[in-house]
């Protein structure tokens, strides 16, 4: 068997080995997957290792340390080397390159040659090795090589390594990448001013001319110190010409500084939204069954208020900046964006952990679209949507909403009730809308409790100051004690059952009463 | 919760989205509805939908008076598109008809207060109500569905009704907690409104014992036929 044959066989063995792939995937999760549950612990551990090792190296500059410090440093370097190699390993699959090249050669009926396949694999790995983070990793290993003093500067890279483990900071690093055009312009401008200023001062203030500057390097140093408005004053111009140059340079410096500041500030501000969104996404990851409120208008606000009162988790998404900041001001999790976009809903965990989506914007098109998108992402999720115009209701149901509401139609219903019976309306409205202490509540009959299988008349409802509205039972229950029963899908509502009506476990009693009375009844049924 | 009583005279001012929805619902319930608007085009539209529509300059008090709001009307709905117009209308109407029931809607908390201050009897906040309904659908789906299928939905049998107590009827003088309408009529008594003490509901299980007397209003829930039976027997007695 030739080495090439052996290589191909090994490649196929690796491809087919579940254990190998599972192990590699584990390593990848630990090192690269930002969502892996182990990730935060790993990051914190590595950060601690980095900080301790840097501290030790700094301490050893002026102090004598015991041999354990050397062992620790060796351990750290070993860890870094392993980490570096592991990252290199999981970056891509060498055996895939081999298989690909082999299958290609089979296809065109040529003999397989190992070297091009390996070469392409090496090139891929090299691509990884030249990424900034990989270089930082490599350089961070170096400072332990004592004989070369200059290598100590690479200690800084060990600190840069912290970037790798702090995901928020990585966001800021991208600022510089996105603003590279502006920064490049600024840098060109800065170089120009620096060169002009340095040349001018060198001409007027060189030692030979009676000044303090010995070399061109010093004049550049002086120009930068002046330009940045730091102005140490270790080198000062003496001649009138030199001072003139200084003045011009200082004014130019103000321009450069303000330009630089504005670029960085604006870039960071743009980025701040992303950082916030990411934070929201991270917080949501730990939760389950939360509510996604799309649209923070009046309806959204009201719902959020009720959910907050119930201590339920929810996240608000709206594309209006003012509304998003209003939501944040109230301490809600809020993201700015368009809810109808697939990416936005997915980011908020629809299809994964979200339990309910509410589409409540004032725009029917957006509501229908968001409903459709949410249903597409998750067939089991609960969707409740708002229809602003008559006719949208039907479309929302078609798009996959479980419930759809028309605020104006509700006004109509209420108006009708109010016109007919204002007194009853006022009385019941507060109760039904949860605005009074007295509310309509459900109380489940616990299985195996004393009431299970007993007539309802044995519950001293009057003593609890409760009024029985009815009992909700499975569909197949019929009783002579009930004169009016109504079917609700898979359940049946038995209105006003007589005292001899027998309830069993898991039946629901619907009672009107004070919430404390309801709590007392629940408690009594449990005992 | 529909009324089995003679139709009321209702005026809906404003024929925007809300105005038309409300007017339609009221008409379906058998009330006598008139709609009014400032805009001739909208009035035409409303007429095309079969409403008794009129164009009136809403800022002109004489024109409003000519509509007969002071004497020949049960309820007026102020459902114009913007809050400021609604507040203005409510003030004008209240000045002309001090006793009229005026219902309006508001989209914000602030306007709600302002409309009440202007003299509205009832201000409906559609968003507050929608928000609560959505919350209820999520958090208490059983209750939401029960109410929807029995009391608040369309074509349902259960009604929440107000029953005025006639003087000398068999209800007159009975203590509230001894009122046994559940067994006799298949009705659940929620409570009673004693006009003497104001318009709020005295809940049926209130700790203070309340004796029902003439002109009190009972608030009950029950099937339509049971309510009709009770009303019939009260008339006879």
């Amino acid at each position: 068997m030739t080495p090439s044959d052996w290589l191909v066989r090994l490649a196929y063995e690796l491809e087919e080995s579940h254990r190998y792939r599972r192990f590699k995937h584990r390593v990848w999760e630990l090192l690269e997957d930002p969502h892996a549950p182990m990730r935060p612990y790993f990051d914190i551990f590595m950060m601690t290792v980095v900080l301790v090792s840097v501290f030790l190296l700094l301490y050893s500059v002026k102090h004598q340390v015991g041999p354990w410090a050397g062992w620790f440093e060796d351990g750290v370097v070993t860890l870094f080397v392993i980490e570096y190699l592991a990252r290199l390993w999981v970056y891509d699959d060498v055996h895939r390159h081999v298989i690909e090249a082999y299958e290609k050669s089979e296809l065109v009926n040529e003999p397989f040659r190992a070297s091009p396949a390996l070469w392409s694999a090496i090139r891929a790995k090299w691509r990884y090795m030249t990424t900034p983070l990989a270089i930082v990793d490599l350089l961070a290993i170096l400072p332990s090589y004592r004989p070369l003093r200059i290598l100590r500067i690479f200690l800084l890279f060990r600190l840069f390594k912290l970037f790798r483990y702090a995901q928020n900071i990585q966001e800021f690093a991208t600022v510089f990448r996105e603003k590279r055009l502006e920064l490049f312009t600024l840098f060109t401008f800065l170089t120009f001013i620096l060169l002009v200023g340095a040349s001018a001062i060198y001409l007027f203030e060189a030692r030979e001319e009676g000044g303090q500057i010995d070399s061109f390097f010093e004049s550049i140093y002086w120009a930068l110190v002046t330009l940045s408005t730091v102005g140490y004053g270790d080198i000062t111009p003496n001649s009138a010409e030199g001072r003139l140059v200084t003045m011009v340079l200082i004014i130019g410096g103000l321009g450069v500084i303000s330009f630089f500041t504005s670029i960085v500030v604006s870039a960071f501000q743009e980025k701040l939204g992303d950082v916030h969104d990411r934070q929201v996404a991270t917080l949501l990851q730990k939760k389950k069954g939360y509510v996604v409120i799309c649209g923070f208008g009046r309806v959204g606000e009201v719902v959020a208020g009720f959910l907050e009162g119930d201590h339920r988790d929810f996240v608000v998404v709206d594309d209006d900046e003012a509304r998003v900041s209003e939501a944040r001001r109230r301490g809600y999790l809020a993201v700015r964006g368009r809810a109808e976009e697939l990416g936005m809903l997915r980011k908020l965990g629809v299809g994964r952990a979200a339990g309910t989506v509410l589409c409540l914007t004032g725009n029917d098109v957006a509501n229908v679209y968001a409903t459709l998108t949410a249903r597409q992402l998750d067939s089991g999720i609960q969707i409740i949507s708002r229809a602003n115009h008559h006719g949208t209701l039907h479309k929302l149901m078609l798009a996959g909403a479980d419930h759809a509401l028309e605020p104006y139609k509700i006004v109509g219903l209420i108006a009708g009730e109010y016109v007919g019976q204002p007194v009853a309306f006022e009385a019941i409205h507060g109760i039904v809308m949860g605005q009074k202490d007295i509310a309509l509540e459900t109380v489940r009959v616990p299985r195996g409790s004393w009431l299970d299988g007993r007539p309802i008349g044995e519950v001293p409802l009057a003593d609890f100051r409760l009024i029985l509205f009815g009992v909700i039972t499975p569909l197949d229950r019929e009783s002579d004690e009930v004169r009016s029963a109504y079917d609700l899908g898979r359940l049946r509502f038995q209105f006003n059952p007589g005292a001899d009506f027998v309830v069993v476990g898991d039946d629901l009693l619907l009672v009107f009463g004070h919430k404390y009375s309801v709590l007392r009844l629940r408690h009594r049924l449990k005992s | 919760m529909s009324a089995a009583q003679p139709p009321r005279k209702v005026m809906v001012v404003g024929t925007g989205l809300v105005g038309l929805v409300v007017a339609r619902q009221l008409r379906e319930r058998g009330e006598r509805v008139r709609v009014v608007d400032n805009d001739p085009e909208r009035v035409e539209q409303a007429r095309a939908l079969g409403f008794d529509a009129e164009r009136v300059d809403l800022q002109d008090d004489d024109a409003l008076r000519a509509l007969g709001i002071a004497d020949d009307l049960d309820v007026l709905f102020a459902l114009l598109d913007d809050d400021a117009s609604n507040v203005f209308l409510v003030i004008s109407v209240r000045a002309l008809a001090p006793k009229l029931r005026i219902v309006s809607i508001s989209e914000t908390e602030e306007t709600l207060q302002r409309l009440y201050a202007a003299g509205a009897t009832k201000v409906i906040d559609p968003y507050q109500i929608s928000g609560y309904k959505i919350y209820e659908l999520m958090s208490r789906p059983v209750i939401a569905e029960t109410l929807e299928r029995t009391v608040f939905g369309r074509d349902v049998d259960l009604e929440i009704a107000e029953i005025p107590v006639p003087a000398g009827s068999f209800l007159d003088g009975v203590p509230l907690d001894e009122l046994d309408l559940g067994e006799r009529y298949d009705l659940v008594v929620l409570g009673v409104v004693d006009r003497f003490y104001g318009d709020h509901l005295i809940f049926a299980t209130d700790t203070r014992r309340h004796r029902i007397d003439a002109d009190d209003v009972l608030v009950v829930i029950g099937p339509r036929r049971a309510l009709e039976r009770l009303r019939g027997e009260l008339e006879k007695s």
Side-chain angles (χ1 to χ4, degrees):
Chain A
M1 194 163 69
T2 65
S4 323
D5 289 344
W6 177 81
L7 192 69
V8 171
R9 234 181 75 191
L10 182 72
Y12 274 103
E13 266 171 24
L14 286 178
E15 179 68 22
E16 272 154 31
S17 162
H18 284 290
R19 275 175 60 192
Y20 170 77
R21 276 176 31 205
R22 205 167 53 230
F23 178 63
K24 190 161 182 172
H25 187 73
R26 286 269 164 75
V27 175
W28 176 82
E29 270 186 345
L30 185 68
L31 294 173
E32 303 285 357
D33 183 8
H35 303 310
M38 276 297 289
R39 189 62 195 272
Y41 304 106
F42 175 74
D43 287 346
I44 289 168
F45 170 72
M46 288 306 282
M47 279 188 194
T48 318
V49 167
V50 167
L51 287 175
V52 170
S53 78
V54 168
F55 174 76
L56 262 180
L57 285 177
L58 290 178
Y59 187 77
S60 67
V61 172
K62 281 194 115 177
H63 302 77
Q64 206 58 41
V65 284
W68 55 269
W71 302 333
F72 179 78
E73 178 63 21
D74 290 347
V76 170
V77 169
T78 318
L79 186 68
F80 285 176
V81 170
I82 292 173
E83 188 205 359
Y84 183 79
L85 292 176
R87 280 186 199 276
L88 192 61
W89 176 51
V90 296
Y91 175 70
D92 71 340
D93 292 311
V94 173
H95 67 262
R96 289 256 167 83
H97 288 275
V98 175
I99 291 173
E100 208 176 290
Y102 175 73
E103 283 176 351
K104 217 185 275 171
S105 67
E106 284 287 281
L107 199 69
V108 295
N109 230 343
E110 266 181 12
F112 170 70
R113 286 187 305 144
S115 50
L118 288 177
W119 182 234
S120 98
I122 289 169
R123 267 209 312 260
K125 295 288 186 200
W126 179 250
R127 258 202 304 280
Y128 170 74
M129 285 163 75
T130 49
T131 57
L133 280 175
I135 293 172
V136 166
D137 279 345
L138 186 66
L139 294 178
I141 299 170
L142 294 177
S144 59
Y145 188 67
R146 297 299 165 86
L148 266 177
R149 187 166 174 268
I150 186 72
L151 283 186
R152 290 219 175 148
I153 199 69
F154 291 123
L155 186 67
L156 296 179
F157 284 99
R158 208 166 267 194
L159 286 174
F160 287 159
K161 211 166 146 57
L162 290 176
F163 272 83
R164 211 189 230 306
Y165 309 113
Q167 292 177 31
N168 287 347
I169 300 177
Q170 277 179 34
E171 201 83 49
F172 282 116
T174 59
V175 164
F176 292 97
R177 206 177 311 141
E178 275 166 25
K179 291 281 164 184
R180 58 178 179 265
L181 181 71
E182 288 89 335
L183 289 172
F184 181 73
T185 316
L186 179 74
F187 183 74
T188 319
F189 181 60
L190 183 69
T191 318
F192 171 72
I193 289 197
L194 218 54
L195 276 177
V196 171
S199 313
I201 209 72
Y202 188 66
L203 287 177
F204 295 124
E205 295 283 328
R207 186 72 72 193
E208 292 74 21
E209 302 285 328
Q212 303 171 353
I213 292 172
D214 288 321
S215 66
F216 193 63
F217 174 76
E218 262 183 21
S219 66
I220 287 184
Y221 163 75
W222 172 86
L224 192 60
V225 167
T226 310
L227 194 70
S228 64
T229 74
V230 171
Y232 288 125
D234 51 347
I235 300 170
T236 46
N238 296 324
S239 63
E241 297 90 340
R243 289 189 174 150
L244 205 65
V245 171
T246 315
M247 286 193 282
V248 173
L249 210 55
I250 287 171
I251 291 167
L254 288 177
V256 170
I257 298 255
S258 46
F259 188 23
F260 180 72
T261 318
S262 79
I263 291 175
V264 173
V265 166
S266 73
F268 272 47
Q269 225 144 30
E270 281 165 28
K271 215 72 215 161
L272 218 57
D274 288 1
V275 171
H276 195 96
D277 289 0
R278 199 195 171 94
Q279 210 176 7
V280 169
T282 318
L283 280 172
L284 285 179
Q285 236 143 43
K286 294 170 195 144
K287 298 177 172 159
K288 261 203 144 22
Y290 52 84
V291 181
V292 179
I293 303 177
C294 309
F296 197 63
R298 273 275 291 148
V299 180
E301 254 175 57
V302 172
V303 177
F306 282 119
L307 290 175
E308 192 193 16
D310 267 10
H311 302 290
R312 279 188 65 171
D313 295 319
F314 60 90
V315 58
V316 171
V317 49
D318 198 308
D319 68 347
D320 184 54
E321 182 63 53
R323 288 183 176 171
V324 172
S325 19
E326 173 62 22
R328 284 187 190 145
R329 202 182 55 74
R330 297 182 187 202
Y332 304 158
L333 286 182
V335 173
R336 186 173 170 203
R338 296 160 67 85
E340 59 266 36
E341 278 166 16
L342 195 77
M344 175 51 84
L345 284 180
R346 190 176 282 151
K347 194 156 87 184
L348 294 175
V350 176
R352 200 180 62 240
T356 307
V357 175
L358 307 178
C359 308
L360 308 180
T361 68
N363 178 347
D364 277 350
V365 178
N367 285 346
V368 170
Y369 211 81
T371 304
L372 205 66
T373 313
R375 181 56 74 217
Q376 182 189 348
L377 284 170
D378 188 342
S379 57
I381 202 164
Q382 185 185 30
I383 304 174
I384 304 174
S385 303
R386 160 181 168 187
N388 301 289
H389 290 268
H390 192 68
T392 314
L393 203 79
H394 175 63
K395 285 175 200 145
L396 284 169
M397 300 308 277
L398 272 183
D402 296 296
H403 300 281
L405 273 98
E406 257 181 282
Y408 293 142
K409 198 168 157 194
I410 292 175
V411 175
L413 276 172
I414 286 177
E417 288 161 14
Y418 184 76
V419 168
Q421 329 189 71
V423 177
F425 172 80
E426 283 292 347
I428 197 71
H429 190 68
I431 294 175
V432 173
M433 286 301 149
Q435 288 163 351
K436 299 212 166 143
D437 287 342
I438 287 172
L440 179 60
E441 289 281 352
T442 52
V443 177
R444 185 177 293 277
V445 177
R447 265 170 202 272
S449 67
W450 58 268
L451 187 60
D452 193 347
R454 308 289 310 162
I456 185 79
E458 291 192 9
V459 188
L461 284 168
D463 292 351
F464 284 111
R465 306 205 170 282
L466 291 168
I467 297 172
L468 185 66
F469 180 34
V471 180
I472 292 178
T473 63
L475 260 187
D476 51 5
R477 188 94 55 83
E478 276 176 29
S479 164
D480 296 338
E481 288 293 316
V482 176
R483 280 180 271 179
S484 318
Y486 306 91
D487 289 352
L488 325 161
R490 280 167 298 151
L491 297 170
R492 174 168 292 172
F493 175 63
Q494 321 265 10
F495 173 71
N496 187 31
D500 291 331
F501 179 82
V502 173
V503 287
V504 298
D506 285 346
D507 282 357
L508 292 170
L509 311 182
L510 254 71
V511 291
F512 288 103
H514 196 281
K515 53 187 178 209
Y516 294 129
S517 304
V518 175
L519 278 178
R520 255 184 74 205
L521 175 62
R522 284 206 181 112
H523 188 73
R524 169 63 89 72
L525 286 180
K526 261 180 221 153
S527 62
Chain B
M1 195 160 135
S2 72
Q5 286 139 346
R8 285 144 218 271
K9 289 175 204 123
V10 180
M11 183 179 292
V12 176
V13 184
T15 50
L17 207 57
V18 201
L20 285 180
V21 171
V22 170
R24 194 176 297 132
Q25 296 254 357
L26 290 170
R27 190 170 62 180
E28 278 170 23
R29 281 166 187 263
E31 313 291 359
R32 209 175 322 143
V33 184
R34 285 161 73 196
V35 291
V36 169
D37 203 308
N38 241 340
D39 183 356
E41 244 174 74
R42 283 185 163 190
V43 171
E44 273 312 309
Q45 251 176 5
R47 281 212 185 109
L49 290 167
F51 287 109
D52 172 9
E54 240 173 296
R55 201 207 82 84
V56 165
D57 182 1
L58 296 172
Q59 309 206 349
D60 182 357
D61 280 359
D62 291 332
L64 285 175
R65 197 175 291 126
L67 285 171
I69 53 171
D71 30 65
D72 193 25
L73 201 61
D74 289 313
V75 187
L76 181 135
F77 285 89
L79 304 177
L80 294 163
D81 285 345
D82 67 306
D83 291 337
S85 310
N86 277 330
V87 173
F88 188 81
L89 178 68
V90 170
I91 291 179
S92 317
V93 172
R94 180 52 77 221
L96 292 170
K99 290 253 167 80
L100 180 66
R101 276 194 275 145
I102 307 174
V103 182
S104 189
I105 60 163
S106 100
E107 311 209 334
T108 63
E109 205 80 33
E110 283 167 53
T111 330
L112 195 106
Q113 304 299 336
R114 228 167 273 163
L115 282 164
Y116 275 124
T121 327
K122 174 78 198 164
V123 182
I124 299 170
D125 182 342
Y127 297 135
Q128 168 77 26
I129 294 164
S130 307
Y132 185 75
K133 292 242 164 186
I134 287 164
Y135 163 75
E136 198 174 46
L137 277 171
M138 266 189 300
S139 301
R140 321 193 310 164
V142 177
I143 289 181
E145 202 184 351
T146 309
L147 288 177
E148 193 62 34
R149 299 254 183 140
T150 57
V151 186
F152 289 120
R154 288 249 170 133
D155 307 321
V156 291
D157 186 36
L158 284 185
E159 273 182 30
I160 298 176
E162 52 182 67
I163 309 277
V165 179
S169 68
F170 63 89
L171 294 175
D172 194 354
V174 182
L176 184 57
D177 50 356
E178 284 173 21
L179 195 69
D180 189 25
L181 300 183
E183 196 64 23
R184 226 166 109 193
Y185 292 97
D186 196 20
L187 291 173
V188 169
V189 180
L190 277 180
V192 64
V193 177
D194 192 330
R195 287 285 166 77
F196 188 73
Y197 296 113
D199 265 359
H200 70 276
L201 179 81
I202 300 167
F203 199 59
T205 55
D206 200 286
T207 42
R208 288 157 295 180
R209 278 195 97 196
H210 183 84
R211 185 178 294 278
I212 297 166
D213 40 36
D215 283 347
D216 281 5
V217 178
L218 281 181
V219 178
V220 298
I221 306 182
R224 201 158 292 165
R225 55 189 150 71
L227 283 167
E228 272 159 23
R229 216 184 110 209
L230 177 64
R231 281 201 184 107
E233 285 182 23
L234 280 174
E235 262 169 43
K236 266 182 262 163
S237 66

